Amino acid sequence: QVQLVESGGGLVQPGGSLRLSCLASGFTFSTSVMSWYRQAPGKERELVATITNTGSTNYADSVKGRFTISRDNFKKTLYLQMNSLKPEDTAVYYCQAIRAAWGRPYWGPGTQVTVSS
């Protein structure tokens, strides 16, 4: 019943901005650790940003200062605000949820972000 659905991906020019959303259901969102990952063609999936239940955040060096992760516990939605986008940001972006009681992380199906002129 756990479900994560990303939205907001699309085509954007270099230097542009995009906001991704991840709607969560089927679990206690407010006390879960949430993350954004991305995977570019031919590359391994990499961690982009993480946010805890208290709002503490961590970012990959490649996106620090450009991306902002946030959450709305009432709406059970995770966000990723992406500014100053670069072609190397092109990837499928995935939402991930973690709880101690689970045997594995849960993932959304992903949303494509393409940065190109």
Side-chain angles (χ1 to χ4, degrees), residues 51-109:
I51 185 167
T52 70
N53 59 305
T54 62
S56 178
T57 60
N58 293 101
Y59 298 91
D61 289 341
S62 59
V63 307
K64 189 175 182 179
R66 300 187 297 120
F67 291 9
T68 302
I69 189 171
S70 62
R71 65 195 298 162
D72 186 324
N73 289 334
F74 176 75
K75 295 181 178 180
K76 299 184 68 173
T77 301
L78 177 73
Y79 301 99
L80 184 67
Q81 178 66 47
M82 304 184 294
N83 298 326
S84 302
L85 283 162
K86 305 174 181 180
E88 49 262 47
D89 295 319
T90 296
V92 177
Y93 283 71
Y94 299 92
C95 175
Q96 183 207 62
I98 292 287
R99 294 188 66 81
W102 294 346
R104 65 171 179 86
Y106 279 81
W107 301 86

Side-chain angles (χ1 to χ4, degrees), residues 11-77:
L11 175 64
V12 65
Q13 294 185 337
S17 297
L18 211 58
R19 189 181 75 159
L20 305 183
S21 299
C22 172
L23 179 61
S25 61
F27 65 99
T28 305
F29 176 83
S30 62
T31 56
S32 300
V33 176
M34 304 296 299
S35 297
W36 286 100
Y37 282 73
R38 67 185 182 186
Q39 188 166 25
K43 296 185 177 181
E44 296 183 359
R45 189 171 298 187
E46 65 172 347
L47 177 63
V48 176
T50 297
I51 185 167
T52 70
N53 59 305
T54 62
S56 178
T57 60
N58 293 101
Y59 298 91
D61 289 341
S62 59
V63 307
K64 189 175 182 179
R66 300 187 297 120
F67 291 9
T68 302
I69 189 171
S70 62
R71 65 195 298 162
D72 186 324
N73 289 334
F74 176 75
K75 295 181 178 180
K76 299 184 68 173
T77 301

